[in-house]
Amino acid sequence: MMYFNSREKIFKGYRAVVLWLSIVIFSWVSLIFSVWVELHTVDNEFNDRAGEIHRTLGQRISNLETVLTSLVGLYHSSDFLGIAEQTSFSQEMLKAYPFISAIMHMTRIPNERRDEFEAQMREQGFVSFRLKNDSQLGGDHIGTGGYYLPVSFIEPMDPRSANLLGYDLTRQPGVFNALQQSIKGGEIVSFGPVVINSSGKSQYFVLKPVYLGRYPPEKMQERVDMFNGMAVLCIELERFVDGIIEAGMPYDLSLLPVTDGDQMTHGGIMAGFSKSNIAKIAVDLSTFEYRQKIEVYGVVFELLVNQRIRADVIDWKNVLAIWLLSLLILFLAIAVYRNMRIAQLKEDEANAAIAAEDERFSHVIDTAFDAVITADANCMILSWNQQAVEVFGYNEEDVLGLHLLQLILTHNSLVEATDALKPMFKGSEEHPTGVRLEVEGRDRNSRKFPLDLAISCSRIGEVFTLSVFARDITERKQWDEKIRMLAYSDSLTKLPNRQAFKEQVSRAINVARRHQRIGAVLYLDLDEFKRINDTLGHDIGDMLLKNVTSRLEGQLRDTDLVERNCECEIENCNIARLGGDEFTVLLEDIQKPEVAALVAKRVQDAIARSYNLNGHEVYVTPSIGIAIFPRDGRDVEELLKNADTAMYHAKAVGKNNFQFYSEQMNILATTRLKLEGKLRKALACNEMELFYQPQIDLASGEIVFAEALLRWHEPELGMVSPVEFIPIAEETGMIMELGEWVLNEACRQNKEWQNAGYKPIRIGVNLSSMQFIQRDLSMKVAQALKNSRLNPKYLELEITESVIMRNVNETITTLKDFKDMGISISVDDFGTGYSSLNYLKRLPLDNLKVDRAFVKDIPDNEDDVTITSAIIALAQSLGLGVVAEGVETESQLQFLQQQGCEMAQGYFFSKPLPAKQLVGMLQHQDDSDGVGVTLTGKR
Ligand code: C2E
Ligand code: CA
Ligand code: CA
């Protein structure tokens, strides 16, 4: 896309005008150039040709010497040469060298022999022969050398040349000296131009001296003395150059004597030759010109060759080719330029894009939420954005060139960051190119704050650049802390919660294992907390938990106190609340397990002291399980489970105590787990049975009541006690089903006895607190009565004090329902709980069953005696019947009777019996008609 834009832009507007103008101009220039090139070629050709002409001319000049030398040789060959011989030789020469106009001989005639010579020549046929007169040539030279030098022979002999016979060159002015030189040296000499005949054609003479004798003399004086004549070649310029230029060649040629030359002084007459007008050529610029000086034996000529430049000298095909070639080059250049221009535009666009990108980038950097800092490989700061100014307080100009990390990190963090960066600079590929660190930053005011650093290292060539993104994470840290608090702490007590505790323990286990130390976990459960919660309400329950927390903290946080009291050192101690009334204490690095026991004891005592909660005096005790690590648990889960097991054990053995975890406990716990599994199938497998324990009316001695007590015949374990399995049933909720079954079975059994005709008795059914909280309990009871068709007055429900106190109002309603149905209610295990007298009054109760624990030690134990008496008195004052449980001895019975106890139950009378056996007792009672007697008899 960009590319096409570029293309459009290249030749737009004024550029286009300039371009086209340039193209037009260039085409013209190139046309001219191609013409010039062509002309240059023609010129070169011309110069070659002219050079050739020059050479030809030179050749002809040297031919002159050849001819002269031959002539001179001829003259030397005989003392007197006949005309005929000379003629034939000359004719041959002229034939061979047609550019020579004529061959002449000038004979030396001593002055005194003039007449003789003239007569001689006339005799030979030249009838009018005479030496050419002085008057004709002006000046008198006769006698200059003591001789004449007339032309005595000429070939071709025609009327025109005949005119030359008798011509004496020595009479030419200025010639004599040159002639003398030639004679003395035996050299060729030339003269001209000379106009001799009427034709007016100027001629040049080229002469070579001839001496007497066979050979030219060696010495100069001899040459002067022996001089006998001259062999002369006559040259007409026109003829001399004739034929040099081939016909049809477009050249003009001229051979002109140099005007200021020596020869001109004796030449006098200028002779020239040209095929065309010389003057015209001279001024015409459109000509090629070749100008060379040529010396012909002392006469200097100028050779001038011209060629007119005309259209026909130019090879237009060449011009066209050159022109087209240059146009091609032009277009190629344009194409190249265009491509370069496109590339340039593209580059410009790319640069612009990069610049825009850079700008955008720096804008992004400047508005970035992070401090963005770049640095070189030595950590010297190269750039520093606005946010960096905000975060660290330094302005960019303050920090440029300073060491990046030293400036913004605290000492420790600097070491950390430097270590993290080291691998980056090793430069090897496998090392990470970026690190992320959470370190402590420092700003201009030395404020320290958490800093999130993302450092990356880029390498271009050998240059490293560090990019650092830094963010002040103070706020995030605070939030993290808040969230951590929420996730890791208990909102009520602010103690660490289960999760936090587990993490602490996990860490502690690892530390202990690594350093071969031991530690302990105390698992603490408040006894009867549920009861307090139920009795006094959740607000009081919460207050109690907070109070327990501060007592725990008071005991454990103050390590001095712990140490002093425990005579031991506790390195580290953490308290947590796992939920409900469960607390845990982590003791790290204790010398020996006993330390944990000491701490547990301390805690137990502290917690057991009374609390004043909103005016209520409350007591609570803890059951504490202790697990030692790493011995008692490989991991947190196991350790906590075992501490929990130990805590259960503490509860099982009577609460308000602490127990170390042991393998045995685990076995018990496992057994319990097994029991639970078996219990689930017990009802369906018909393993449950009801035993019945009679209750005796002490006044009449009659069985008036039987308490249904659940028995479990487990195939493997044999008879399992309800003390063992009822708690499991309660915990697992199986008690609902079991209780319902008991209720129905008891009613059914009682009805069966009545149907069998025995004297009706009340049947007692124990209700678990779990059952009592069922909304439809009364409905179920009604259903059982309905199913069995038992009269409600023969059913008595036993409930415990805790059930009553749980939710008094609700309990009252439920109990009233029962009352309305005609069912009796007794309070079981009376005296162990916290029944308020107030409530007892309001409740529709029938009997109180004095707990076995009080009966057990009467009449010997004074306390028990007091309590039992008080309960009996209380019952009487409330108008309730009173039953003593667990009566085993006669003395107990007597005491109870004395105190006015109305009814009693216990092994003294009978153990709980299977239905069939109880039937026996009922039968016996009915039969004897005096049960009391029978029973008393047993006493
Ligand atoms: P409980 O309601 O207090 O029952 C009386 C317990 O005392 C019975 O134990 C009985 O065998 C025992 N006992 C009676 N006379 C004497 C005596 O002279 N000396 C001694 N040492 N013990 C005597 P058992 O049957 O083992 O039942 C224990 C507890 O199990 C019961 O205490 C009751 O709380 C619970 N339980 C038994 N059956 C049921 C039931 O069907 N439903 C519910 N919810 N609880 C039941
Ligand atoms: Ca009972
Ligand atoms: Ca009881």
Side-chain angles (χ1 to χ4, degrees):
M1 198 57 209
M2 231 182 237
Y3 169 75
F4 291 110
N5 286 344
S6 313
R7 199 209 300 246
E8 281 163 23
K9 278 185 209 163
I10 296 167
F11 301 125
K12 250 190 176 178
Y14 81 97
R15 276 176 199 284
V17 175
V18 170
L19 176 84
W20 286 112
L21 215 60
S22 311
I23 291 175
V24 170
I25 291 168
F26 181 86
S27 358
W28 278 107
V29 169
S30 67
L31 184 61
I32 290 164
F33 170 76
S34 27
V35 170
W36 178 83
V37 168
E38 175 59 15
L39 280 177
H40 190 71
T41 316
V42 175
D43 186 25
N44 281 344
E45 216 173 276
F46 164 77
N47 276 318
D48 289 350
R49 297 287 302 153
E52 223 170 89
I53 289 169
H54 189 170
R55 275 191 302 283
T56 310
L57 218 48
Q59 186 64 47
R60 286 188 180 187
I61 289 166
S62 69
N63 285 343
L64 293 181
E65 189 179 354
T66 311
V67 173
L68 275 179
T69 309
S70 309
L71 268 176
V72 169
L74 181 71
Y75 287 119
H76 280 289
S77 64
S78 88
D79 290 338
F80 185 78
L81 212 55
I83 297 284
E85 280 172 299
Q86 284 184 62
T87 305
S88 73
F89 186 83
S90 300
Q91 275 173 352
E92 263 171 58
M93 285 293 163
L94 288 173
K95 221 189 219 167
Y97 306 102
F99 48 85
I100 301 169
S101 304
I103 295 173
M104 297 189 293
H105 185 74
M106 292 179 171
T107 312
R108 181 179 181 268
I109 305 292
N111 288 350
E112 65 274 11
R113 283 187 59 204
R114 176 181 175 163
D115 295 338
E116 186 187 336
F117 175 67
E118 284 177 340
Q120 209 175 336
M121 287 301 286
R122 281 187 215 116
E123 259 170 49
Q124 281 178 17
F126 305 110
V127 282
S128 56
F129 182 83
R130 60 180 184 85
L131 293 188
K132 284 296 183 280
N133 227 331
D134 304 332
S135 57
Q136 198 179 340
L137 294 166
D140 185 4
H141 294 278
I142 293 172
T144 309
Y147 58 82
Y148 295 98
L149 198 60
V151 175
S152 58
F153 169 81
I154 188 163
E155 180 63 32
M157 179 61 81
D158 52 28
R160 199 161 59 98
S161 59
N163 199 29
L164 275 172
L165 282 172
Y167 177 78
D168 186 353
L169 190 65
T170 58
R171 276 177 284 172
Q172 279 286 345
V175 167
F176 186 76
N177 285 340
L179 214 52
Q180 281 304 308
Q181 284 301 310
S182 172
I183 291 166
K184 283 176 185 165
E187 299 294 330
I188 296 173
V189 69
S190 62
F191 299 100
V194 183
V195 181
I196 296 166
N197 52 32
S198 52
S199 76
K201 281 186 179 170
S202 51
Q203 299 185 341
Y204 290 80
F205 292 157
V206 185
L207 313 94
K208 191 173 169 120
V210 178
Y211 304 93
L212 290 173
R214 288 279 175 266
Y215 303 101
E218 296 280 305
K219 291 175 185 156
M220 197 181 73
Q221 192 52 52
E222 280 176 17
R223 281 198 289 270
V224 173
D225 295 342
M226 307 273 279
F227 175 65
N228 196 41
M230 287 277 185
V232 183
L233 297 182
C234 186
I235 303 298
E236 283 173 10
L237 288 180
E238 186 177 349
R239 186 155 177 181
F240 192 66
V241 299
D242 188 31
I244 288 180
I245 296 170
E246 290 163 39
M249 295 304 283
Y251 303 117
D252 291 339
L253 187 148
S254 70
L255 189 64
L256 295 173
V258 174
T259 46
D260 51 8
D262 241 5
Q263 268 67 25
M264 279 319 295
T265 53
H266 56 250
I269 298 159
M270 204 173 115
F273 166 75
S274 172
K275 271 195 169 175
S276 57
N277 192 326
I278 294 169
K280 195 184 167 194
I281 293 169
V283 295
D284 197 341
L285 288 174
S286 54
T287 52
F288 300 125
E289 195 180 73
Y290 182 88
R291 206 184 275 273
Q292 285 291 330
K293 291 223 163 91
I294 298 174
E295 195 194 318
V296 185
Y297 308 109
V299 181
V300 179
F301 295 90
E302 188 177 62
L303 170 69
L304 184 70
V305 185
N306 283 306
Q307 180 179 18
R308 272 222 67 187
I309 302 170
R310 290 192 315 260
D312 62 350
V313 306
I314 292 165
D315 187 341
W316 291 104
K317 269 189 272 170
N318 285 348
V319 171
L320 187 67
I322 294 169
W323 188 53
L324 287 179
L325 190 72
S326 51
L327 283 184
L328 187 70
I329 291 168
L330 170 71
F331 286 116
L332 276 176
I334 290 173
V336 168
Y337 168 78
R338 210 192 66 161
N339 282 342
M340 279 164 61
R341 186 82 190 130
I342 288 171
Q344 180 63 44
L345 283 176
K346 266 163 74 177
E347 199 184 313
D348 289 352
E349 271 170 30
N351 286 343
I354 289 167
E357 193 60 36
D358 279 354
E359 198 176 325
R360 234 191 336 270
F361 181 69
S362 41
H363 179 74
V364 168
I365 295 290
D366 272 342
T367 55
F369 182 67
D370 288 337
V372 182
I373 308 164
T374 57
D376 64 15
N378 298 319
C379 292
M380 297 305 166
I381 295 169
L382 300 173
S383 76
W384 183 262
N385 77 341
Q386 189 49 40
Q387 188 60 22
V389 176
E390 307 277 319
V391 172
F392 298 103
Y394 298 100
N395 285 324
E396 190 172 25
E397 56 271 21
D398 301 337
V399 298
L400 289 184
L402 295 182
H403 192 284
L404 165 67
L405 298 179
Q406 272 175 354
L407 190 70
I408 62 167
L409 294 187
T410 61
H411 176 72
N412 284 343
S413 294
L414 175 65
V415 173
E416 207 176 312
T418 311
D419 284 350
L421 283 180
K422 262 179 205 155
M424 281 198 212
F425 291 119
K426 296 223 175 112
S428 101
E429 303 290 299
E430 69 248 33
H431 284 108
T433 52
V435 285
R436 193 155 192 146
L437 294 170
E438 229 180 81
V439 291
E440 196 177 46
R442 183 160 46 92
D443 68 8
R444 189 182 204 141
N445 304 318
S446 296
R447 176 181 74 97
K448 292 174 180 176
F449 55 93
L451 193 62
D452 180 82
L453 283 188
I455 308 179
S456 55
C457 180
S458 54
R459 191 174 127 178
I460 299 165
E462 284 305 307
V463 180
F464 282 101
T465 305
L466 282 181
S467 308
V468 179
F469 291 75
R471 184 179 291 190
D472 179 352
I473 49 168
T474 308
E475 210 166 298
R476 198 185 81 193
K477 283 275 161 188
Q478 284 164 353
W479 273 108
D480 283 356
E481 186 52 32
K482 233 174 239 175
I483 288 163
R484 213 187 63 81
M485 281 288 286
L486 287 175
Y488 282 88
S489 74
D490 167 49
S491 55
L492 178 69
T493 61
K494 307 294 177 219
L495 287 176
N497 64 6
R498 179 185 292 270
Q499 186 56 36
F501 186 73
K502 278 166 92 172
E503 285 177 17
Q504 288 168 0
V505 172
S506 181
R507 180 187 45 75
I509 292 174
N510 287 335
V511 172
R513 218 181 264 138
R514 210 176 311 136
H515 301 285
Q516 266 132 23
R517 291 179 188 161
I518 60 164
V521 166
L522 274 55
Y523 203 113
L524 189 152
D525 187 284
L526 299 180
D527 301 326
E528 313 281 336
F529 174 74
K530 208 170 177 52
R531 183 179 48 76
I532 294 164
N533 221 6
D534 291 344
T535 316
L536 304 174
H538 287 273
D539 291 345
I540 299 289
D542 284 354
M543 279 172 73
L544 177 61
L545 290 172
K546 284 188 190 173
N547 276 270
V548 168
T549 302
S550 44
R551 289 205 188 164
L552 277 171
E553 285 177 334
Q555 289 304 312
L556 297 165
R557 285 276 152 82
D558 187 351
T559 37
D560 273 358
L561 203 65
V562 175
E563 282 165 25
R564 194 166 58 242
N565 286 280
C566 298
E567 292 148 11
C568 61
E569 266 180 45
I570 292 166
E571 190 69 14
N572 209 337
C573 165
N574 291 300
I575 307 165
R577 178 178 173 226
L578 300 197
D581 58 348
E582 293 180 346
F583 293 85
T584 45
V585 176
L586 168 67
L587 302 174
E588 287 186 64
D589 193 17
I590 52 174
Q591 277 77 21
K592 46 195 175 172
E594 288 75 12
V595 174
L598 290 167
V599 173
K601 181 68 187 134
R602 252 201 93 69
V603 165
Q604 187 192 343
D605 292 347
I607 289 174
R609 292 198 304 273
S610 74
Y611 300 84
N612 190 333
L613 307 174
N614 270 6
H616 299 272
E617 192 179 17
V618 178
Y619 292 88
V620 74
T621 55
S623 292
I624 304 171
I626 304 171
I628 301 296
F629 61 83
R631 186 188 72 191
D632 293 339
R634 282 173 303 235
D635 55 30
V636 196
E637 303 296 335
E638 192 180 15
L639 192 70
L640 280 184
K641 196 197 94 196
N642 289 342
D644 187 28
T645 304
M647 185 274 289
Y648 259 95
H649 190 70
K651 287 228 190 267
V653 298
K655 303 175 179 173
N656 193 17
N657 72 97
F658 61 86
Q659 295 288 328
F660 278 93
Y661 167 78
S662 70
E663 196 51 37
Q664 191 55 38
M665 288 174 192
N666 232 353
I667 294 167
L668 283 178
T670 319
T671 313
R672 207 190 98 107
L673 216 64
K674 270 187 199 156
L675 219 57
E676 188 185 313
K678 292 176 190 251
L679 188 62
R680 286 184 195 281
K681 298 176 287 181
L683 262 186
C685 297
N686 258 333
E687 291 164 10
M688 288 298 176
E689 190 191 354
L690 282 182
F691 274 32
Y692 300 92
Q693 185 178 41
Q695 199 179 86
I696 311 299
D697 179 15
L698 294 180
S700 63
E702 285 185 358
I703 300 170
V704 289
F705 170 94
E707 182 178 358
L709 293 161
L710 197 51
R711 294 293 177 265
W712 179 18
H713 306 282
E714 211 287 315
E716 283 173 39
L717 306 168
M719 183 85 86
V720 184
S721 160
V723 180
E724 266 185 77
F725 72 82
I726 292 290
I728 298 175
E730 282 179 333
E731 274 169 39
T732 56
M734 282 186 271
I735 192 70
M736 306 297 183
E737 202 188 345
L738 268 179
E740 202 175 335
W741 180 82
V742 171
L743 194 62
N744 278 288
E745 175 61 16
C747 291
R748 188 203 59 77
Q749 184 60 65
N750 201 13
K751 185 64 184 176
E752 192 185 297
W753 286 327
Q754 288 177 11
N755 288 345
Y758 302 112
K759 194 174 175 187
I761 53 168
R762 281 175 291 121
I763 194 88
V765 172
N766 293 287
L767 284 184
S768 153
S769 57
M770 288 285 289
Q771 280 173 285
F772 210 81
I773 56 170
Q774 287 182 101
R775 298 248 166 246
D776 57 350
L777 177 64
S778 36
M779 241 179 67
K780 280 181 176 165
V781 173
Q783 190 63 44
L785 288 169
K786 197 180 158 196
N787 289 349
S788 60
R789 294 207 193 84
L790 179 73
N791 188 330
K793 69 175 180 183
Y794 296 116
L795 177 63
E796 185 167 320
L797 297 175
E798 297 192 2
I799 53 172
T800 58
E801 282 176 282
S802 60
V803 171
I804 297 169
M805 304 311 290
R806 182 186 302 277
N807 187 333
V808 177
N809 292 334
E810 212 169 280
T811 309
I812 290 173
T813 315
T814 313
L815 293 184
K816 273 186 179 155
D817 284 351
F818 292 148
K819 209 75 241 167
D820 292 346
M821 286 184 218
I823 299 166
S824 309
I825 313 286
S826 59
V827 181
D828 206 355
D829 306 336
F830 191 78
T832 54
Y834 288 86
S835 304
S836 148
L837 202 63
N838 238 353
Y839 295 148
L840 286 178
K841 272 190 210 162
R842 287 168 59 196
L843 292 168
L845 303 172
D846 295 284
N847 299 308
L848 294 184
K849 294 181 84 169
V850 182
D851 193 78
R852 209 164 63 227
F854 303 116
V855 176
K856 205 177 116 209
D857 293 329
I858 50 172
D860 307 327
N861 187 306
E862 277 180 28
D863 285 351
D864 290 346
V865 166
T866 313
I867 291 169
T868 311
S869 315
I871 293 172
I872 294 168
L874 173 73
Q876 285 169 345
S877 72
L878 288 170
L880 301 172
V882 59
V883 184
E885 283 189 298
V887 180
E888 292 182 358
T889 63
E890 193 162 5
S891 57
Q892 288 169 339
L893 181 64
Q894 275 176 358
F895 172 79
L896 290 163
Q897 274 181 320
Q898 281 165 16
Q899 294 299 315
C901 181
E902 295 154 352
M903 286 163 289
Q905 204 182 324
Y907 294 170
F908 181 71
F909 305 103
S910 166
K911 287 197 166 185
L913 300 170
K916 273 184 191 146
Q917 287 182 34
L918 190 84
V919 167
M921 286 187 72
L922 292 177
Q923 178 125 43
H924 182 75
Q925 176 174 278
D926 285 358
D927 290 350
S928 64
D929 209 18
V931 184
V933 182
T934 317
L935 287 170
T936 34
K938 196 181 172 184
R939 276 176 255 167

